[in-house]
Structures are given as C-alpha cells and as structure tokens.
C-alpha cells in the first residue's frame, strides 16, 4: 500500500467517525427513545438508583462494538478494502463516545471534569438537558459529541425549564433553537 492509498483510507476512517455522530443521533432519537426505550430507560434513571457496573442500555454500545470488530476482522487481511477502515472509524467514534459520555459526563470512571474547555462544557450542558427533559419519545438534544451553540449560553441548564414553559424554544433536527417568529 502506498502513501496515497493509506491517506485515502485514513480519510475514510475519519469520515466514518464523523458520520457516526449523525447515525448515533438518529438511533438515539428514533430507536433508543422509540422502540428501544425498554433498554435505554435504564440510562435515564437518576444517579444513585443504578446498581452494578452495567445497565440494560449498554446493549447498544456492545452492539456497535460487535459491528466494529466484525468489520475490522473482515478487513484485516486486505487493507485495500473499506471494511477495516470503516471498523476503525466506528472504533474511533466509540472511543470518543466512551470518554465523553461514560467517563466525563456520567462518571462511570471517576475523573475530574475539565472546566476550561468551552466545547466540552457545551456538550455537557446539552447532555444534562437531555437527561433532565427527555423521556420516551419526547426529548431534546440527542447528539453525543455535537451540540449547537444554543447550549453555550450561561446557565442554560438551569434556565431550560423556563425556556420550555415560555415556549421560547422549539425542537428541530439539529437541537434546540430560539423561536424566530
């Protein structure tokens, strides 16, 4: 494999990782908060009410990991096929998800949250709002590693309930935006 081919395949891996946010958003909104709520509901229980290391919701992460492993093994003998690189893209996204969602946000492994990273604070705020205001098919902010600038507002988590009561926000496919009319 030459450098041009390797660069192209690495680009496939990176594009796959970025595309996974859209796939994860759709699965989170339409499957996990739809027909798959039976598994995902365990994830929306209040902190302290969960017992043990795993929860039913982990079936989704395990499913994504199995798909990535199958793709990597299918492509490991021929790096000129997309399987390995797509599997690695899934793995790259999965690592980002695990670090942000499970470690930094949910503290499944206790670490100190960095306070000075503005984008990290934005996705933490969006996910906090998701957990406070999303049940079943109703909800806000279904992304995992992307959140619109709306979530950068000071005290957005504290004030979001007031926004909803005053109907100053509306839900759309990107997240939550101020009402424009």
């Amino acid at each position: 494999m030459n450098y041009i081919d390797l660069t192209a395949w690495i680009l496939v891996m990176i594009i796959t990782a970025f595309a996974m946010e859209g796939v994860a958003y759709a699965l989170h909104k339409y499957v996990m908060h739809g027909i798959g709520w039976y598994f995902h509901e365990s994830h929306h229980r209040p902190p302290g009410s969960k017992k043990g290391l795993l929860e039913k919701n982990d079936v989704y992460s395990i499913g994504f990991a199995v798909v990535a492993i199958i793709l990597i093994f299918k492509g490991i003998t021929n790096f000129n096929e997309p399987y390995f690189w797509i599997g690695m893209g899934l793995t790259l996204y999965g690592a980002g998800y695990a670090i942000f969602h499970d470690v930094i946000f949910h503290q499944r492994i206790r670490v100190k949250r960095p306070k000075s990273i503005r984008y990290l604070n934005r996705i933490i705020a969006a996910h906090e709002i998701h957990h406070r205001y999303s049940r079943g098919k109703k909800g806000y902010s279904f992304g995992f590693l992307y959140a619109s600038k709306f979530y950068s507002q000071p005290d957005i988590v504290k004030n979001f309930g007031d926004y909803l009561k005053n109907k100053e926000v509306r839900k759309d496919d990107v997240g939550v935006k101020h009402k424009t009319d």
Side-chain angles (χ1 to χ4, degrees), residues 39-82:
F39 293 106
H40 192 59
E41 179 273 334
S42 68
H43 182 66
H44 280 267
R45 291 187 188 144
S49 67
K50 299 172 187 173
K51 296 176 182 163
L53 183 62
L54 297 176
E55 54 189 53
K56 285 189 289 185
N57 183 67
D58 291 331
V59 73
Y60 294 112
S61 295
I62 292 166
F64 291 134
V66 167
V67 170
I69 290 166
I70 289 169
L71 288 168
I72 290 168
F73 275 115
K74 183 167 176 57
I76 200 105
T77 57
N78 184 357
F79 291 117
N80 285 317
E81 294 285 331

Side-chain angles (χ1 to χ4, degrees), residues 76-115:
I76 200 105
T77 57
N78 184 357
F79 291 117
N80 285 317
E81 294 285 331
Y83 304 111
F84 175 82
W85 303 101
I86 291 170
M88 290 302 291
L90 293 173
T91 302
L92 184 62
Y93 180 83
Y97 168 87
I99 291 167
F100 165 70
H101 185 262
D102 290 342
V103 176
I104 294 174
F105 185 80
H106 288 292
Q107 296 283 297
R108 287 177 100 171
I109 299 171
R110 301 279 182 215
V111 296
K112 187 176 179 181
R113 278 188 184 171
K115 301 269 188 217

Side-chain angles (χ1 to χ4, degrees), residues 31 96 177:
V31 175
K177 291 187 176 180

